[in-house]
Amino acid sequence: MSQKQKSRGRPSSQIEREPGGGGEEAPSTSRGPGGAASQRRAQASPAAGPRSQKQLELKVAELVQFLLIKDQRKIPIRRTDILRHVVGDYKDVLPELLRRAAERLEYVFGYRLVELEPRSNTYILVNTLEPVEEDAEVRGDQGTPTTGLLMIVLGLIFMKGNSVKETEVWDFLRRLGVHPTKKHLIFGDPKKLITEDFVRQRYLDYRRIPHTDPVDYELQWGPRTNLETSKMKVLKFVAKVHNQDPKDWPAQYCEALADEEARARPQTSGPSPATGLAPTASPVS
């Protein structure tokens, strides 16, 4: 694999050294009682208790997925969006979250998190490797910009036992800044993309769950997904995002292993599984 040209931006190793994530808010110009001092007191909220390593890892995994999705359009990622959609109450540990996310993106996915200009508070992901086909699929960057979102949904379905309620999908995607009722810069109408486009392309099956009030639907893998990827590849994607080994999920790993063995057996008829997810839907600008 060949090395791409180095980015002119500021490397991720400098990101976490910004004290307190400075620069994302302008200082107050109020001349009322208390002025800037009162604002500083308001911002100095009670320190959050120590987070467990598991809590930090979950937040880092969420941040990594958010950055991978936002990078699909190749538009700089704003710190304000990271704070709004992912960080939330973890703002006090933002430098640590960025440091861990940058390490995982570089060493696992082959991306370098770079700040475009000093104190610009905008970031991009620089591809440091020429991916082979399987690496690209596991990273979720093969094909169209919608592939990353599809991989995340496929991973959620598999980890939930091969079927997941639509409400659970949106609860998860909202944390990544993807809402069913809001137009998305990259994906256009996310609900249409997931419940119509991916379904029409046969990547997903979308069924109404009987006897539910209010009405709810479930999502499962469609037949095209089973032909173009595998449970093991999707499990590897999930494991990389969470910085874990696929074997850390024994039930899913055994299921993926059985699926690999079944695929390795000679096929008597029918098409052979292809490689590489490539949704044909174009994102709405």
Side-chain angles (χ1 to χ4, degrees):
M1 290 183 285
S2 60
Q3 186 80 19
K4 287 195 173 182
Q5 291 184 349
K6 292 184 179 179
S7 168
R8 297 178 181 177
R10 192 154 65 101
S12 60
S13 59
Q14 298 177 0
I15 294 171
E16 66 275 12
R17 292 201 287 268
E18 293 181 21
E24 67 269 17
E25 295 179 355
S28 171
T29 56
S30 170
R31 298 187 182 274
S38 64
Q39 186 187 40
R40 285 194 296 269
R41 286 194 298 271
Q43 291 176 344
S45 55
R51 274 90 173 194
S52 67
Q53 286 300 310
K54 183 176 181 180
Q55 287 176 311
L56 289 175
E57 281 300 316
L58 288 173
K59 185 59 68 173
V60 170
E62 192 175 324
L63 177 55
V64 167
Q65 292 185 87
F66 176 80
L67 293 170
L68 289 171
I69 285 179
K70 293 290 284 185
D71 181 66
Q72 295 285 343
R73 189 66 179 260
K74 302 304 177 187
I75 293 176
I77 305 160
R78 298 181 300 175
R79 181 188 289 253
T80 52
D81 289 335
I82 295 173
L83 289 168
R84 181 183 306 117
H85 296 299
V86 182
V87 175
D89 295 336
Y90 286 68
K91 185 176 180 179
D92 58 304
V93 291
L94 175 61
E96 175 69 8
L97 295 177
L98 283 172
R99 183 187 67 79
R100 293 192 186 194
E103 287 181 353
R104 192 168 306 173
L105 285 164
E106 182 165 8
Y107 299 122
V108 176
F109 292 94
Y111 288 118
R112 194 154 48 91
L113 183 62
V114 173
E115 187 172 15
L116 284 177
E117 295 176 338
R119 303 189 68 80
S120 67
N121 295 313
T122 55
Y123 308 96
I124 61 171
L125 299 185
V126 177
N127 187 354
T128 62
L129 303 172
E130 287 284 356
V132 296
E133 186 171 337
E134 182 174 344
D135 288 343
E137 183 177 352
V138 169
R139 283 156 38 150
D141 64 358
Q142 187 181 12
T144 72
T146 61
T147 310
L149 179 64
L150 177 59
M151 286 292 289
I152 288 173
V153 174
L154 293 176
L156 186 61
I157 292 171
F158 180 52
M159 302 307 286
K160 290 285 187 178
N162 298 307
S163 179
V164 64
K165 290 182 179 179
E166 183 185 3
T167 50
E168 292 183 60
V169 171
W170 294 117
D171 286 344
F172 181 79
L173 292 179
R174 281 188 187 95
R175 304 206 306 267
L176 305 179
V178 180
H179 300 260
T181 57
K182 295 182 181 178
K183 186 174 181 179
H184 193 273
L185 180 64
I186 301 168
F187 308 121
D189 184 342
K191 183 173 176 65
K192 178 179 180 295
L193 177 62
I194 291 174
T195 64
E196 294 183 29
D197 295 344
F198 288 161
V199 173
R200 187 171 60 251
Q201 295 166 5
R202 306 308 305 276
Y203 284 109
L204 297 174
D205 284 338
Y206 183 62
R207 300 189 182 95
R208 178 175 175 175
I209 303 174
H211 314 301
T212 54
D213 186 17
V215 174
D216 202 356
Y217 293 81
E218 65 181 1
L219 289 159
Q220 298 177 344
W221 285 20
R224 186 171 182 174
T225 292
N226 288 301
L227 290 172
E228 294 189 4
T229 189
S230 69
K231 292 178 178 179
M232 187 61 77
K233 288 179 181 177
V234 172
L235 181 58
K236 286 180 179 178
F237 172 82
V238 173
K240 284 179 180 251
V241 168
H242 288 270
N243 195 30
Q244 293 182 243
D245 189 277
K247 294 179 182 178
D248 290 338
W249 293 276
Q252 285 84 358
Y253 183 75
C254 288
E255 183 177 344
L257 212 55
D259 180 61
E260 293 292 294
E261 292 172 355
R263 289 169 179 268
R265 286 196 287 268
Q267 298 287 330
T268 55
S269 61
S272 300
T275 57
L277 288 165
T280 56
S282 299
V284 181
S285 300

